[in-house]
């Protein structure tokens, strides 16, 4: 029996920049997916998802996306993608358990994908870089889950470093790690709501960004500066302009944030997180009332240096940068305020910046 663990991730800054060949800062969180597995001789994949108490079984030679047991798609998709790349995979039995809340935008799916790729690697050894493992996870998501995601989630899960933020250049695929000061901590506040069919909204946002790049005559929005975008504004329909403004602004914020982090200027870093959320509200329109409430409440607290939605949006969670010594009262008051407004508590999770999957 082998065991594999992969964390989830939180996006610190750089929202919807990854598929625009842009820049992101992220971290791996203290919640993740564990897979325990054994090889079998039957050429079968037998899966059990402990949290859902669901089973899935099928022949390895007959893999296809599942309409019912959709959780299995992330595993089957990875196996299919590994085989496409020439990896020899035999039958295996696996039990999956996860501490990542589903639908929170904390990459439970990428965590499951990378945990699967590493499980297969331990059972049936093959050579592959961590970046290519991330690409396998992304391809699984495209083909088996129908989400045209970038590589932020899978790279964060596969390549993060403890006590560091991960900086990802999604064009050169250069990845580096920046130390985080010990006096700050991250708090995730999960609203518990999901307002949109995420795949549809997500893919639609991606199309708008690609349309903007086409109309501006560049390969990707990575190639556009804020002043360049203003100068060419007339070329873009209003909505497409706003989508592009978000991505261009996020890339510039990540660049500034990277320098601030290197100089431990966390208050200024946090201010960029608040700016990012504002841009999500007004430009990318991927926030929602509950997330805006959580960020608005966080902003009132001197303990909180910055807050924003994290991940795709349309619900899910916010990430808060908080002074460590004040984190507990901050969590309590954020939770109480949300309960007073919506009649239910949000899920509040404190997290460290964690190591990559192993
Ligand atoms: C989701 C996707 C990522 C990224 C974020 C938004 O998490 O899976 O690839 O695009 O949304 O930054």
């Amino acid at each position: 029996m082998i065991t594999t663990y992969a964390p989830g991730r939180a996006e610190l800054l750089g929202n919807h920049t990854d598929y625009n060949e842009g820049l992101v800062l992220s971290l791996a969180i203290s919640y993740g997916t564990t897979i325990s597995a054994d090889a079998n001789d039957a050429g079968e994949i037998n899966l059990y998802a402990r949290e859902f108490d669901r089973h899935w079984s099928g022949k390895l030679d007959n893999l296809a996306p599942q309409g019912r047991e959709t959780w299995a798609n992330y595993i089957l998709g990875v196996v299919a993608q590994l085989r496409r790349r020439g990896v020899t995979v035999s039958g295996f039995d696996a039990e999956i358990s996860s501490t990542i809340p589903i639908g929170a935008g904390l990459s439970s799916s990428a965590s499951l994908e990378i945990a699967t790729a590493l499980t297969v690697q331990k059972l049936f050894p093959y050579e592959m870089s961590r970046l290519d493992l991330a690409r396998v996870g992304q391809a699984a998501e495209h083909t088996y889950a129908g989400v045209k995601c970038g590589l932020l989630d899978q790279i964060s899960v596969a390549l993060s470093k403890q006590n560091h933020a991960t900086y990802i250049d999604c064009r050169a695929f250069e990845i580096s790690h920046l130390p985080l000061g010990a006096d700050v901590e991250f708090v995730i506040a999960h609203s518990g709501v999901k307002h949109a069919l995420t795949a549809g909204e997500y893919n639609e946002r991606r199309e708008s960004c690609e349309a903007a790049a086409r109309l501006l005559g560049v390969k990707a929005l990575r190639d556009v500066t804020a002043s360049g975008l203003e100068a060419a504004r007339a070329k873009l329909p209003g909505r497409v302009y706003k989508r592009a403004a978000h991505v261009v602004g996020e890339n510039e914020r990540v660049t500034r944030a990277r320098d601030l982090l290197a100089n431990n200027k966390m208050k200024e870093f946090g201010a960029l997180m608040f700016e990012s959320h504002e841009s999500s509200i007004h430009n990318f329109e991927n926030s929602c009332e509950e997330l805006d409430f959580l960020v608005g409440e966080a902003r009132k607290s001197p303990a909180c240096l910055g807050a924003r939605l994290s991940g795709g949006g349309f619900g899910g969670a916010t990430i808060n940068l908080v002074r460590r010594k004040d984190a507990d009262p901050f969590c309590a008051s954020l939770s109480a305020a949300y309960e007073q407004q919506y009649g239910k508590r949000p899920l509040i999770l404190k997290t460290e910046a964690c190591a990559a999957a192993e």
Side-chain angles (χ1 to χ4, degrees), residues 304-323:
C304 181
L305 304 176
R308 62 189 285 279
L309 70 80
S310 182
F314 313 106
T318 60
I319 174 111
N320 301 265
L321 174 67
V322 177
R323 293 188 202 283

Side-chain angles (χ1 to χ4, degrees), residues 206-238:
R206 181 170 182 154
E207 279 160 24
S208 293
C209 292
E210 287 166 357
R214 262 195 315 278
L215 291 166
L216 294 169
V218 293
K219 179 163 180 276
L221 284 178
R222 163 66 176 270
D223 299 307
V224 181
T225 59
S227 53
L229 180 63
E230 284 319 306
R233 187 171 181 159
K235 291 186 185 162
L236 303 181

Side-chain angles (χ1 to χ4, degrees), residues 63-64 75-85 89 143-144:
L63 295 182
I75 301 159
L76 304 179
V78 166
V79 172
Q81 287 297 329
L82 287 171
R83 296 180 91 198
R84 266 196 71 195
R85 286 163 175 75
V89 185
T143 51
Y144 273 60

Side-chain angles (χ1 to χ4, degrees), residues 59-82:
K59 283 279 177 204
L60 193 53
D61 288 331
N62 211 5
L63 295 182
Q66 303 298 303
R68 244 172 89 90
E69 306 295 333
T70 49
W71 57 272
N73 282 330
Y74 303 100
I75 301 159
L76 304 179
V78 166
V79 172
Q81 287 297 329
L82 287 171

Side-chain angles (χ1 to χ4, degrees), residues 9 11 14-19 107 141 147 149-154 202 311-312:
R9 70 95 189 87
E11 171 198 289
N15 187 244
H16 287 261
T17 52
D18 59 352
Y19 55 80
S107 290
E141 191 108 5
V147 181
C149 63
L151 269 165
L152 149 69
D153 306 341
Q154 292 81 5
Y202 185 93

